[in-house]
Amino acid sequence: GQQLNQSPQSMFIQEGEDVSMNCTSSSIFNTWLWYKQEPGEGPVLLIALYKAGELTSNGRLTAQFGITRKDSFLNISASIPSDVGIYFCAGEGVYNQGGKLIFGQGTELSVKP
Amino acid sequence: DVKVTQSSRYLVKRTGEKVFLECVQDMDHENMFWYRQDPGLGLRLIYFSYDVKMKEKGDIPEGYSVSREKKERFSLILESASTNQTSMYLCASKEGGVNEKLFFGSGTQLSVL
């Protein structure tokens, strides 16, 4: 079946640094979504992308839907301690079944004050 | 705002017990999903439902069943819990159709002893 490869698996950064993470797939996706999960909570949607090439921002977060429709990246600028959490990418495939999403393995972000 | 409510945040059960995880959404969404989350493996789809009384197997359905008698409620059942089913379980819902956003509950951390 379709799979997403998300990298890096974890990041340890200093407050104020920029962060970049990405997801790639061997197959095409119609939609890319980025979620953040804080400890003890369910994932919360950050950004949704619907068109190849689309670049969307949400505050200090910026995400892009790759031109090939097989990848997406998420950037966080000027990180702060509350950015800590696990970030997941998710994609809705072309031959989608019942609206289900495929998820990446997650990127665990730690921010040192 | 969409609300997806999972009945328990933490559960401790014994091997062989029958376990019910309940999920309710308040936005009249057609599609509902059960995922399990394990470190390094991301979110894996167990079962999903795109209508009342309809269900489809996800990627890891073995050892689980589901019930959707009413549109707002989607239950995950572990017929005979085993220690390898210790995990975080996440329920989610979304509207039918493409490009709709997926909303998660806060999760149930299940420990099977």
Side-chain angles (χ1 to χ4, degrees):
Chain A
Q2 292 179 302
Q3 287 187 319
L4 289 183
N5 294 310
Q6 184 172 350
S7 65
Q9 275 196 314
S10 59
M11 301 182 78
F12 296 86
I13 61 168
Q14 198 77 32
E15 183 177 0
E17 286 184 20
D18 296 343
V19 172
S20 186
M21 58 192 80
N22 70 82
C23 275
T24 60
S25 171
S26 57
S27 46
I28 289 169
F29 284 84
N30 283 333
T31 304
W32 285 95
L33 303 168
W34 284 93
Y35 287 84
K36 178 188 177 187
Q37 183 181 29
E38 297 188 3
E41 298 295 330
V44 173
L45 182 65
L46 298 172
I47 292 179
L49 303 159
Y50 300 113
K51 258 174 35 174
E54 181 180 354
L55 184 73
T56 296
S57 293
N58 178 6
R60 293 178 296 106
L61 278 61
T62 302
Q64 185 158 31
F65 192 142
I67 291 288
T68 64
R69 295 169 66 193
K70 293 182 180 180
D71 63 328
S72 176
F73 70 76
L74 175 70
N75 288 341
I76 305 173
S77 62
S79 59
I80 58 179
S82 62
D83 289 334
V84 162
I86 303 176
Y87 292 79
F88 289 100
C89 63
E92 186 168 336
V94 172
Y95 301 107
N96 187 35
Q97 215 188 336
K100 67 177 185 176
L101 298 178
I102 311 295
F103 281 84
Q105 302 94 328
T107 296
E108 186 162 8
L109 178 64
S110 300
V111 180
K112 191 174 175 185
Chain B
D1 277 354
V2 174
K3 192 152 184 178
V4 181
T5 303
Q6 293 183 232
S7 54
S8 305
R9 292 297 297 269
Y10 301 96
L11 271 181
V12 180
K13 297 290 180 182
R14 297 219 171 265
T15 302
E17 277 193 75
K18 190 168 185 174
V19 182
F20 292 86
L21 302 184
E22 305 287 348
C23 175
V24 177
Q25 51 95 2
D26 66 357
M27 284 302 289
D28 204 37
H29 285 170
E30 278 99 4
N31 296 347
M32 296 188 74
F33 306 80
W34 275 106
Y35 291 87
R36 67 176 279 177
Q37 180 179 13
D38 301 286
L41 298 179
L43 278 66
R44 293 180 293 166
L45 183 63
I46 305 171
Y47 265 96
F48 65 103
S49 168
Y50 51 87
D51 203 351
V52 176
K53 296 193 188 294
M54 305 300 286
K55 59 186 179 186
E56 293 282 342
K57 292 180 180 178
D59 299 316
I60 51 163
E62 295 78 20
Y64 302 95
S65 62
V66 290
S67 171
R68 190 147 181 223
E69 296 296 318
K70 293 185 178 180
K71 193 174 185 180
E72 66 270 20
R73 187 179 295 270
F74 193 35
S75 303
L76 180 70
I77 304 153
L78 287 67
E79 293 290 340
S80 177
S82 62
T83 54
N84 63 12
Q85 291 178 309
T86 291
S87 186
M88 168 71 93
Y89 289 87
L90 291 161
C91 175
S93 75
K94 66 186 286 203
E95 288 277 9
V98 296
N99 294 347
E100 296 293 340
K101 297 169 186 173
L102 188 68
F103 295 90
F104 284 89
S106 297
T108 297
Q109 179 63 52
L110 173 67
S111 297
V112 182
L113 306 178

